[in-house]
């Protein structure tokens, strides 16, 4: 039973670690804590959902969602952060908070404040047993990707 909980914790912790890695990379390059990083992840999820609803195959939908996030990140940098280069740290933080708040309002009012389920392929919903514990394919992917990065 404890081994099962450890596997679940490592899987979820890997997702959090990857999100934190994204923040750390942005901070190391730009010198800014981007509080809108979570909103970029939200945009990626919405893009994935929209592509799947449009009938795009799952691998292509994931690629489109990542491209959408990259384009949004570049646009965010060009519109909000590039004009603030050389500004004080306080000004950069306020800009980051403002971008985050603006995107939250756009998502809540323009899309929906309710969570939307994303249909994942059947090969990702399975599970396999190793000894006394069971691990899902999704958590296995999460663990492997986290270890590789």
């Amino acid at each position: 039973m404890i081994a099962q909980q450890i596997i679940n914790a490592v899987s979820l912790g890997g997702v959090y670690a990857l999100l934190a890695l994204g923040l750390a990379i942005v901070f190391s390059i730009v010198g800014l804590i981007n509080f809108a990083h979570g909103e970029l992840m939200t945009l990626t999820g919405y893009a994935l959902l929209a592509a799947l609803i449009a009938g795009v195959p799952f691998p292509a939908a994931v690629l489109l969602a990542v491209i959408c996030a990259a384009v949004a990140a570049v646009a965010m940098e060009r519109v909000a952060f590039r004009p603030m280069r050389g500004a004080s740290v306080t000004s950069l933080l306020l800009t980051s908070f403002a971008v985050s708040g603006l995107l939250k309002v756009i998502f809540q009012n323009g899309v929906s404040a309710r969570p939307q389920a994303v249909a994942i392929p059947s090969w990702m919903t399975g599970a396999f047993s190793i000894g006394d514990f069971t691990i899902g394919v999704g958590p296995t992917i999460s663990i492997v990707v986290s270890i590789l990065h």
Side-chain angles (χ1 to χ4, degrees):
M1 181 84 109
I2 193 98
Q4 183 70 53
Q5 293 304 322
I6 290 171
I7 293 294
N8 295 342
V10 169
S11 172
L12 185 58
V15 171
Y16 289 148
L18 290 172
L19 291 171
L21 182 63
L23 280 171
I25 289 171
V26 169
F27 180 76
S28 69
I29 294 170
V30 182
L32 166 74
I33 298 174
N34 185 2
F35 289 101
H37 187 73
E39 281 71 28
L40 286 173
M41 299 301 110
T42 302
L43 178 68
T44 306
Y46 282 139
L48 177 63
L49 180 63
L52 290 173
I53 288 172
V56 177
F58 189 79
V62 170
L63 182 62
L64 285 172
V66 170
I67 290 170
C68 180
V71 168
V74 169
M76 184 186 304
E77 191 276 332
R78 300 275 172 154
V79 172
F81 299 127
R82 185 169 285 185
M84 297 299 293
R85 283 208 181 141
S88 69
V89 174
T90 305
S91 296
L92 288 171
L93 284 174
L94 288 173
T95 301
S96 181
F97 278 129
V99 170
S100 174
L102 178 66
L103 289 174
K104 282 179 190 173
V105 169
I106 289 170
F107 292 149
Q108 288 174 352
N109 295 337
V111 182
S112 174
R114 294 179 179 222
Q116 298 290 322
V118 174
I120 58 174
S122 60
W123 62 268
M124 289 182 70
T125 60
F128 54 92
S129 296
I130 300 176
D132 291 338
F133 60 94
T134 302
I135 183 167
V137 174
T140 302
I141 292 170
S142 170
I143 292 168
V144 169
V145 169
S146 299
I147 289 171
L148 292 176
H149 283 84

